[in-house]
Amino acid sequence: MNRHPFQFRALNAQQQVITGQTQASNLLELEQSLQSQGLELLSARRSKTPARIRPDELIDFFNHLENLLSAGIPLIDSLDDLSQQRGNPRLGQLCQQLAQALRGGQALSEALPAACPNIAPSITGIIQAGEMSGQLPVVLRRLTRNLQQAQNLKANLHRALLYPTLAGLLVTGTSLFLMLFLVPQIREFVVQSGIPQSLPSRMLFALTDLLSAHWTTLLALPLALLFLFFGALHFRPSLRLQADRWLFRFPLLGEIQQKLTLARLADLLALLYSTGIPLLDGLRSIAQTSGNRFIRRTLEMVHNDVEQGQPLSHAFARHPIFPPLWIRMLQVGEKTGALDHSLTHVAQRYEREAEATLGSMQKLIEPALTVAIGLQLGWIMLATMQPIYSLIGQLAP
């Protein structure tokens, strides 16, 4: 059943009117939830769905909140201070809603999902553990570092792919312009002059004819294939599962994606475990936050195996995506009782390896693109200029 955000007014045990915001499926569920907190519902209305908070905005929010709490400022006062900042209206609105919910008797971990619908359950679980242990500033500091590291690795991957994508589009556009507008004029001149055409020239002229006659089909075909592919992924979950699994099998990119995923899982599970969240709850939480269905299904299977009594290292060892280093460090953590330290070591190891692989890929991409661009443009220039040079040679005394 879908849950919606509600703004409410209620009476507490001291007959004071309080306001707040929470999520419920309907008004009856809202009333029952408030009664369980010792509140009597006066009025309620369904509020608009809050705007989605970007990951960098969430990191900024946790960082500022941790600094204020570490300085000894109470939580509600910290949220009030952050809501007065004018740099980011969405964060100001988020802090205002959270402060209102806290005044209504909710905890921060309870108010966050209503104010920020796209927040991961694992994050709220970590914050809840910090509230229960009284170490909320410490937990927020570690959570900020965890989210920042994941954001940096993702940004590095996007930057590594941006350059070849832009260069490929630029070269493709230039080549199409030459073949559709310049090459036909040169071919007409060559045909009228009766110059013998070399093999590169004949190949280029044939490709130009194909593009000129069927450019709509050649453009629509890949778009139609992409539409069918993504449609099949949407309506066939089994195909989506296989596609998510194939992401880890691409040369180089698959290796980077696997290391980033393993680093993220290890760091998040270590953080959950170190804050006192039970292992089974931590596995369930990170499974729910994974956007990759293959990883999500794998973690669900690991959760079921651990729930049935298997050691954590044995449950992970059944799945080939987790390499021997991952399994070995889990075994060390289980023997020493320092599972969070072992997982943190694994996360740092794969973060370094992912960054090193990204650096190697960037070093390979630039010369490979230079060679590819040179060969493509060189072929076009050779195919178009060679007949002209032949004609000049024939006319020369």
Side-chain angles (χ1 to χ4, degrees):
M1 185 177 296
N2 295 331
R3 299 175 65 83
H4 311 286
F6 283 90
Q7 290 182 346
F8 65 86
R9 296 174 67 250
L11 285 175
N12 59 14
Q14 290 75 33
Q15 298 301 305
Q16 297 174 336
V17 178
I18 60 173
T19 59
Q21 180 171 314
T22 187
Q23 286 189 333
S25 303
N26 47 52
L27 288 175
L28 178 60
E29 181 181 339
L30 173 63
E31 184 176 8
Q32 293 174 348
S33 175
L34 293 176
Q35 286 178 353
S36 65
Q37 302 174 31
L39 301 175
E40 181 181 352
L41 180 63
L42 295 177
S43 63
R45 63 182 178 87
R46 183 172 168 180
S47 58
K48 296 181 179 179
T49 302
R52 294 175 64 88
I53 303 297
R54 299 196 310 266
D56 58 322
E57 294 175 330
L58 196 61
I59 292 172
D60 190 47
F61 166 66
F62 286 145
N63 185 37
H64 286 306
L65 185 60
E66 182 269 324
N67 290 333
L68 292 174
L69 293 177
S70 298
I73 301 176
L75 180 56
I76 295 181
D77 294 339
S78 299
L79 293 172
D80 287 334
D81 291 343
L82 292 176
S83 66
Q84 301 301 320
Q85 295 183 1
R86 299 181 179 180
N88 191 323
R90 283 196 299 268
L91 280 184
Q93 182 182 3
L94 172 65
C95 295
Q96 186 177 6
Q97 293 176 354
L98 291 175
Q100 188 178 21
L102 264 61
R103 289 190 178 95
Q106 289 185 302
L108 179 63
S109 57
E110 297 173 341
L112 267 174
C116 182
N118 60 312
I119 193 169
S122 58
I123 294 179
T124 57
I126 292 170
I127 293 175
Q128 183 180 23
E131 292 171 333
M132 296 175 62
S133 62
Q135 300 292 323
L136 185 58
V138 177
V139 170
L140 286 176
R141 188 181 307 119
R142 292 195 59 183
L143 180 60
T144 302
R145 182 188 63 84
N146 177 280
L147 295 176
Q148 186 64 62
Q149 288 177 341
Q151 188 74 4
N152 291 340
L153 288 174
K154 186 181 295 185
N156 291 336
L157 180 59
H158 289 170
R159 281 196 296 267
L161 297 178
L162 181 62
Y163 172 72
T165 302
L166 293 178
L169 290 175
L170 180 61
V171 173
T172 301
T174 304
S175 302
L176 288 176
F177 173 79
L178 292 175
M179 287 189 289
L180 293 177
F181 296 98
L182 181 62
V183 173
Q185 299 179 17
I186 296 178
R187 182 185 58 179
E188 184 178 356
F189 171 76
V190 170
V191 172
Q192 291 177 356
S193 302
I195 305 173
Q197 300 177 14
S198 62
L199 178 61
S201 299
R202 292 197 301 270
M203 292 174 59
L204 179 62
F205 295 156
L207 180 58
T208 301
D209 291 336
L210 178 64
L211 290 175
S212 300
H214 305 287
W215 69 271
T216 53
T217 303
L218 295 175
L219 179 62
L221 183 59
L223 294 178
L225 291 177
L226 285 175
F227 178 78
L228 291 175
F229 175 72
F230 286 108
L233 291 181
H234 180 73
F235 292 105
R236 295 190 60 183
S238 59
L239 184 60
R240 174 66 182 274
L241 179 65
Q242 291 298 326
D244 287 348
R245 184 176 184 175
W246 292 335
L247 288 176
F248 299 105
R249 297 184 178 181
F250 282 108
L252 202 58
L253 283 178
E255 179 184 355
I256 294 174
Q257 184 66 32
Q258 180 183 12
K259 290 178 179 178
L260 289 177
T261 301
L262 293 177
R264 172 68 173 161
L265 292 178
D267 206 6
L268 191 55
L269 187 57
L271 184 54
L272 290 168
Y273 186 79
S274 64
T275 54
I277 295 177
L279 185 59
L280 287 174
D281 293 340
L283 289 172
R284 185 186 302 109
S285 180
I286 62 174
Q288 294 173 352
T289 59
S290 176
N292 187 294
R293 295 194 179 187
F294 171 66
I295 293 295
R296 188 187 310 164
R297 182 179 178 184
T298 302
L299 291 174
E300 289 173 351
M301 296 170 64
V302 170
H303 173 272
N304 293 336
D305 290 339
V306 174
E307 192 175 30
Q308 294 174 5
Q310 291 192 22
L312 186 64
S313 57
H314 292 177
F316 275 109
R318 295 181 53 192
H319 306 281
I321 191 173
F322 299 102
L325 174 64
W326 176 286
I327 307 303
R328 186 163 58 252
M329 292 307 299
L330 287 181
Q331 292 173 344
V332 171
E334 289 173 334
K335 291 180 181 178
T336 60
L339 185 60
D340 53 335
H341 295 295
S342 297
L343 288 170
T344 301
H345 175 78
V346 170
Q348 294 173 350
R349 171 72 176 269
Y350 285 122
E351 285 174 2
R352 292 194 299 267
E353 291 184 0
E355 291 176 352
T357 307
L358 272 174
S360 301
M361 186 179 72
Q362 289 177 320
K363 293 179 181 178
L364 291 174
I365 284 175
E366 293 183 4
L369 275 177
T370 303
V371 172
I373 292 172
L375 290 175
Q376 184 175 354
L377 296 181
W379 170 54
I380 295 176
M381 296 303 296
L382 175 66
T384 54
M385 299 305 295
Q386 186 177 9
I388 297 177
Y389 285 144
S390 299
L391 178 62
I392 294 175
Q394 292 176 5
L395 296 177

